[in-house]
Amino acid sequence: MTFRATVLTLYPEMFPGALGVSLAGRALEAGTWSLDAVQIRDFASDKHRTVDDTPAGGGAGMVMRADIVAKAVDAASPADDDRPRLLMSPRGKPLTQARVRDLAAGPGVVILCGRFEGVDQRVIDARGLEEVSIGDYILSGGEPAALVLLDAVVRLLPGVMGNEASGTEESFEGGLLEHPHYTRPQDFEGRAIPEVLLSGNHRKIAEWRRAQAEGLTMERRPDLASACLEPPPTKKRSGDA
Ligand code: SAH
């Protein structure tokens, strides 16, 4: 079954972009997924093909018009389309590996890329667009965010990654950041590969990696660590039963 991605954008020439090469590119060619970049401007009705207007209430910048965006969404995704409709937006729920996995298990996605100050709220509400953020910073448009989301999803589609196991041992998959990696040469500018990794003792190696992952997560992402690591046992006070 082909995973169908439809991207609504003012810059269809940005697609497939980075997704046309390497794993995603090969999978696109093989038909594991499909990508349709729709020009929102084609749904404008005036001769200048205007898609934006000044913000109600005043202020800087321009806002994408609800009526034009709605026409584009409806053409790309009719009422019986069962694909989720996303709007890339810094106000959205932060994208997580769990959501990515969810999307990869579904039939595809419809992604609206914002530009200017954003999109008229009424079309977000009327078409049930789910706002998704890729992080707490502001991009100039939703296109790079859509490429990021699709990259994360496509690599999880069946058959895309050569080594299936590598998909489940990554950072976040077990709720932890991943352990560090090493490869040849054995000596790099006087730095050796940790002894245990050369020991051939698989149990010891697994333990070392787990400890590294926990240490790194605690140090760099205490928010993740508290969600998935056991809290240290609380000391019993004398007199407690
Ligand atoms: N005025 C808006 C920012 C608009 S940026 C605000 O302050 O919230 C223009 C477009 O870029 C947005 O409509 C959105 O589609 C996209 N965008 C910007 N930052 C993003 C982010 N962190 N995640 C996802 N999309 C983003």
Side-chain angles (χ1 to χ4, degrees):
M1 206 182 60
T2 300
F3 179 94
R4 285 177 56 227
T6 302
V7 179
L8 309 176
T9 170
L10 293 173
Y11 299 97
E13 64 273 27
M14 288 192 181
F15 297 87
L19 300 180
V21 298
S22 189
L23 287 182
R26 259 174 279 147
L28 189 57
E29 235 163 77
T32 309
W33 70 295
S34 71
L35 177 59
D36 193 13
V38 174
Q39 172 57 273
I40 299 168
R41 232 172 254 294
D42 292 347
F43 298 87
S45 38
D46 65 320
K47 74 168 193 279
H48 300 294
R49 307 216 298 159
T50 311
V51 295
D52 57 323
D53 211 327
T54 53
M62 301 294 273
V63 176
M64 289 171 80
R65 284 173 51 148
D67 54 346
I68 314 286
V69 169
K71 275 194 220 163
V73 170
D74 293 346
S77 179
D80 64 348
D81 187 353
D82 51 359
R83 294 175 296 168
R85 297 174 183 154
L86 314 181
L87 166 62
M88 303 319 297
S89 160
R91 301 185 318 168
K93 218 176 184 191
L95 185 63
T96 60
Q97 188 64 15
R99 183 71 183 114
V100 165
R101 243 184 211 293
D102 238 41
L103 291 170
V109 273
V110 178
I111 306 177
L112 172 61
C113 301
R115 279 272 155 181
F116 319 115
E117 291 309 314
V119 181
D120 188 308
Q121 183 62 40
R122 292 169 297 174
V123 68
I124 303 177
D125 299 337
R127 293 300 179 271
L129 305 181
E130 172 192 340
E131 293 184 67
V132 178
S133 167
I134 64 158
D136 293 342
Y137 40 80
I138 304 294
L139 302 167
S140 50
E143 290 79 8
L147 290 168
V148 165
L149 182 143
L150 287 172
D151 182 290
V153 169
V154 166
R155 62 188 285 284
L156 295 182
L157 298 176
V160 172
M161 260 184 311
N163 177 3
E164 293 291 338
S166 68
T168 55
E169 287 170 10
E170 313 273 7
S171 289
F172 309 119
E173 290 289 356
L176 293 174
L177 301 179
E178 201 182 43
H179 57 78
H181 298 286
Y182 299 88
T183 184
R184 277 180 285 273
Q186 207 150 315
D187 176 279
F188 167 67
E189 297 180 351
R191 295 163 190 264
I193 294 175
E195 199 84 38
V196 58
L197 297 180
L198 309 171
S199 69
N201 183 331
H202 295 293
R203 189 181 51 80
K204 278 236 164 81
I205 291 171
E207 281 169 8
W208 181 86
R209 286 180 169 163
R210 173 79 194 181
Q212 290 284 319
E214 289 182 2
L216 264 178
T217 309
M218 244 131 37
E219 184 188 312
R220 297 184 182 174
R221 294 292 304 275
D223 56 316
L224 290 179
S226 63
C228 77
L229 293 177
E230 296 271 314
T234 46
K235 280 203 194 105
K236 275 188 183 167
R237 278 172 303 167
S238 59
D240 280 3

